[in-house]
Amino acid sequence: MADPVGLLLVGCGRISAAHLGALAGLEGEIRLAGVADADQGARHRAAAAHAVPAFADLDEALAMPGVDAVLIASPNALHAAQAAAALAAGKHVLVEKPLALTVEDAELIKRIAEENKRVATVDFVLRYNPLVEMLHEIVKAEIFGKLRRVDLRNYAMQDTVPEGHWFWNPEVSGRILLE
């Protein structure tokens, strides 16, 4: 059996708990190698909970031996630069959605991944959800006619993400369409 993939978690905020929970079910396949976050409290809590090193500096974390892949779970506006740095450092990358806030940044990530022969992918958690697949089939079959308009609203997070959180800042989050 191959050695477990050494994974660096970048971003120790709210969504990281879901990722770390999923990683627990992959024991033997993936090993959490370390965590990185600009927020000292968040990175130290995550590191202590999983007995791994904590880093404030992404380049230092990427240089740590035993890191094969990087999971980016930071605020959206940081995704492109962090993914580009990880790919350039020779790591495979899984990015929490969205990949980037601009098409140009997404294309840059694709180019860097290709140049470094590394995989870069996005964690689209609902892509294969049966409800989403059924909705796709309804739209494709034009059961209610041709799609003319889409109205996106985020009701799911209004009660759980406080006002002033980065998620509500369009320059940092990219707005709900990217989310």
Side-chain angles (χ1 to χ4, degrees):
M1 184 172 181
D3 289 335
V5 172
L7 184 73
L8 173 69
L9 172 66
V10 177
C12 300
R14 207 171 111 139
I15 194 67
S16 69
H19 289 295
L20 291 169
L23 290 177
L26 298 172
E27 194 172 317
E29 296 174 49
I30 296 180
R31 172 188 53 79
L32 186 63
V35 297
D37 196 302
D39 182 296
Q40 181 178 355
R43 76 175 171 265
H44 286 296
R45 280 189 298 278
H50 299 279
V52 296
F55 298 89
D57 182 81
L58 180 58
D59 291 331
E60 184 182 345
L62 292 170
M64 180 178 60
V67 173
D68 306 302
V70 178
L71 168 54
I72 297 174
S74 55
N76 301 354
L78 302 174
H79 291 183
Q82 291 173 339
L87 291 162
K91 314 304 179 189
H92 299 288
V93 175
L94 171 62
V95 183
E96 180 61 41
K97 62 178 173 42
L99 175 62
L101 298 187
T102 67
V103 171
E104 294 79 19
D105 282 347
E107 288 172 345
L108 174 66
I109 292 166
K110 179 181 182 222
R111 184 175 50 76
I112 295 171
E114 289 170 349
E115 287 171 358
N116 289 281
K117 295 178 176 49
R118 292 295 176 260
V119 174
T121 192
V122 181
D123 181 25
F124 289 119
V125 296
L126 295 177
R127 175 164 284 173
Y128 301 105
N129 179 296
L131 184 58
V132 172
E133 288 181 333
M134 182 174 55
L135 182 59
H136 178 255
E137 291 303 317
I138 289 170
V139 170
K140 192 167 77 176
E142 297 183 8
I143 291 172
F144 298 111
K146 198 167 208 54
L147 181 65
R148 295 174 189 261
R149 178 174 176 248
V150 175
D151 183 14
L152 298 170
R153 298 169 194 235
N154 186 1
Y155 294 113
M157 308 250 322
Q158 286 181 325
D159 294 334
T160 59
V161 177
E163 191 174 323
H165 187 277
W166 66 262
F167 181 84
W168 302 116
N169 179 343
E171 270 129 45
V172 178
S173 70
R175 301 187 187 271
I176 192 59
L177 180 59
L178 289 182
E179 248 325 287

